[in-house]
Amino acid sequence: MSDEHTGLWTAIDGLWHHLETDQPERPGREVLLLRMLKLSEEVGEVAEAVIGATGQNPRKGVTHTWEDVEAELCDVAITALVALRTLTPGAREVFAHHLARVTARAQTVPRPRPDAPEPGGAP
């Protein structure tokens, strides 16, 4: 595993440890469920930032930048990895295995040629 990936998982483990030691005592399952709910909150913040970056709320106008969207997406990724770490101490291996499966699957999906006719269309 590269130093970059090791650094990522060291940071995730550190954040997980901080959350585990700096939270009120809760039953184990409740902690897990709350971490999963936190992920939904972060996804909502991405939506809010996109709406704000595109000015889709006429009452508010442009309230965010695309850099805000980037930061919110990073928060989603971090929160998801911390939630995975909460679920299993083997999060690093679980994620690596899943990423390999998704990557392999994506490489086997045929891509349409740009000049190919659309299905059901005239040749």
Side-chain angles (χ1 to χ4, degrees):
M1 190 172 286
S2 73
D3 288 342
E4 183 177 309
H5 291 120
T6 300
L8 168 71
W9 286 105
T10 299
I12 295 301
D13 285 341
L15 290 168
W16 171 81
H17 182 71
H18 171 74
L19 290 171
E20 289 294 306
T21 58
D22 197 32
Q23 295 294 313
E25 195 67 31
R26 298 185 192 280
R29 184 171 213 104
E30 186 175 327
V31 170
L32 178 60
L33 295 174
L34 289 170
R35 297 267 162 84
M36 301 300 159
L37 287 176
K38 181 66 175 167
L39 185 55
S40 294
E41 177 188 11
E42 294 298 340
V43 170
E45 291 176 11
V46 170
E48 180 181 1
V50 169
I51 289 167
T54 58
Q56 290 303 301
N57 183 334
R59 186 173 50 81
K60 294 181 180 180
V62 175
T63 58
H64 291 73
T65 65
W66 287 105
E67 288 79 18
D68 294 328
V69 175
E70 292 170 358
E72 296 299 344
L73 287 168
C74 289
D75 286 349
V76 168
I78 292 165
T79 302
L81 293 175
V82 170
L84 181 60
R85 174 59 185 87
T86 302
L87 183 62
T88 176
R92 179 184 311 216
E93 294 77 18
V94 169
F95 185 78
H97 177 72
H98 189 73
L99 180 60
R101 285 184 23 224
V102 170
T103 302
R105 184 176 62 221
Q107 293 171 353
T108 63
V109 173
R111 295 186 181 253
R113 293 189 341 251
D115 60 338
E118 292 197 23

